[in-house]
Amino acid sequence: MMKSLQKLFSPLLALSILLGGQTFIHQAIAQPPGQQRAPLPPIPIKGDTTHTLTRHFKLATNTKIAPYANGFIHRWLVLEPIKKDIARNNIFTDNYLRSEFKNNNFSEDYLMIPKAGEMVKVGNESLKWYALDSKTFNFNLFNFSYDINKPKYGLLFWLVTVIDCSEEIQNVRMTAGCNSGGMFWLNGQEVLMLSGDRDMIVDNVASPLLTLKKGRNIIRGAVINGPGMANFCLRFIDKSDKPVKNISISKD
C-alpha cells in the first residue's frame, strides 16, 4: 500500500520538497528523536513586508467550492494561534500532543463549526476565527500567523472545515502531512495522529478506510510547532489511491 502511494504521488512529494528553500532547510537538518535540533535561521517572508493576509489566502465566501484538482482541501476556518513555549519539536510524542490539544482546546464539542470573526477564549487568550481559502494546495500557517501580526514560532493552531457529499462515499482514506505535529478528527472521531518532528510531506500518514456520509462531514484539526515552519495539507483518497474530488467544501 505505501509503495503504491509513494509511486502515485511521487510528483507531489517532489513538489512539496521543492516548495522552497525553507522546507529544504528543515529536511536537511532534521534530527532523530532524542537529539536537539540546531538553531534555525530566520525564515523570511520574501517580498512581503506588509503583513497582507490576501497575499497567501482568499477570504472564504458563502459559496461552496470544490477541492483542488489533486483533491487537496484548501478552505479552512483557522483560529489565531495559541502561543506555546516550545524549544524543540522532538518532544511531540502522542501523549504530549493529546495533552496539549486537550488542555488548549476551544471546545470539547468536535462537531462545533465556528463562525468567521467569532471570538473564543483559550486559557487567558481571546482569539479570533478566520475563514480562508489557501491559494496553494497546502495551508501555510506560518504565513497566516505572520500576516495577522502574530508570533511566528512556538504556536498551536486549531482548524475546522466542512465537507459536503451528495451521496455516501465509502472506502476512502484521509491523508495528511504537517510540520511539525498534529491531529485530525472526522465527525468527532480521531482519525490521524502526526507525532514527532516532521516536515510537511504529501500523504505522510493515511487513516484506515472511512466512510464520508451523505450531507455534511466536519473535519477538526490541530497543528503545533516550535521553531521553524508551520504548515499542513490534507485530502481524501480512494481505494485506488486516487484523490476524492466529488465533494464540496464550505465554512458553515
Side-chain angles (χ1 to χ4, degrees):
M1 179 65 188
M2 288 307 297
K3 288 182 178 179
S4 177
L5 280 170
Q6 291 168 357
K7 182 179 179 180
L8 179 62
F9 299 121
S10 58
L12 292 170
L13 173 61
L15 176 61
S16 72
I17 293 172
L18 292 172
L19 275 175
Q22 299 165 355
T23 305
F24 173 79
I25 289 170
H26 284 279
Q27 290 180 336
I29 62 175
Q31 298 292 317
Q35 296 185 22
Q36 186 167 357
R37 184 195 288 271
L40 292 168
I43 301 175
I45 306 294
K46 293 181 179 178
D48 180 11
T49 58
T50 60
H51 298 263
T52 305
L53 190 61
T54 54
R55 181 178 176 86
H56 307 103
F57 307 96
K58 297 179 182 176
L59 299 180
T61 68
N62 292 327
T63 303
K64 296 178 182 179
I65 60 172
Y68 280 139
N70 46 19
F72 286 102
I73 295 167
H74 56 293
R75 170 169 288 179
W76 292 89
L77 288 143
V78 54
L79 186 62
E80 287 181 325
I82 301 166
K83 188 73 180 75
K84 304 297 296 182
D85 185 15
I86 302 170
R88 61 188 192 282
N89 293 334
N90 59 4
I91 62 174
F92 295 149
T93 64
D94 289 11
N95 288 339
Y96 178 94
L97 295 181
R98 292 184 196 285
S99 175
E100 285 297 309
F101 297 151
K102 177 178 177 58
N103 295 330
N104 295 278
N105 200 346
F106 66 93
S107 172
E108 292 291 334
D109 179 4
Y110 282 73
L111 300 180
M112 172 190 175
I113 304 171
K115 301 292 185 186
E118 180 181 356
M119 300 293 294
V120 296
K121 195 151 188 177
V122 180
N124 295 322
E125 296 185 77
S126 292
L127 304 170
K128 180 181 176 181
W129 281 99
Y130 290 77
L132 301 172
D133 297 343
S134 173
K135 294 182 179 180
T136 56
F137 78 94
N138 59 315
F139 200 102
N140 193 315
L141 296 165
F142 180 92
N143 285 342
F144 167 70
S145 191
Y146 174 86
D147 290 342
I148 60 172
N149 294 295
K150 295 294 183 179
K152 295 183 290 185
Y153 306 112
L155 302 172
L156 188 162
F157 298 88
W158 282 106
L159 308 147
V160 176
T161 196
V162 180
I163 303 300
D164 292 293
C165 302
S166 58
E167 59 184 4
E168 182 178 277
I169 307 176
Q170 299 180 349
N171 298 319
V172 299
R173 300 180 192 276
M174 180 191 291
T175 71
C178 80
N179 188 331
S180 180
M183 289 179 68
F184 290 90
W185 297 259
L186 175 65
N187 295 327
Q189 301 297 314
E190 177 188 328
V191 292
L192 289 180
M193 165 70 80
L194 296 95
S195 54
D197 185 3
R198 295 174 182 265
D199 293 308
M200 195 205 76
I201 298 173
V202 167
D203 302 329
N204 192 202
V205 296
S207 73
L209 289 174
L210 303 169
T211 296
L212 289 170
K213 63 183 182 181
K214 181 179 179 179
R216 191 168 65 178
N217 296 267
I218 300 169
I219 301 174
R220 167 93 69 102
V223 173
I224 190 170
N225 204 2
M229 181 62 71
N231 207 357
F232 79 97
C233 61
L234 184 145
R235 64 178 171 178
F236 291 95
I237 59 173
D238 63 18
K239 285 197 299 184
S240 301
D241 301 334
K242 295 180 179 177
V244 174
K245 298 185 287 186
N246 56 332
I247 57 177
S248 60
I249 317 168
S250 66
K251 61 181 180 63
D252 303 302

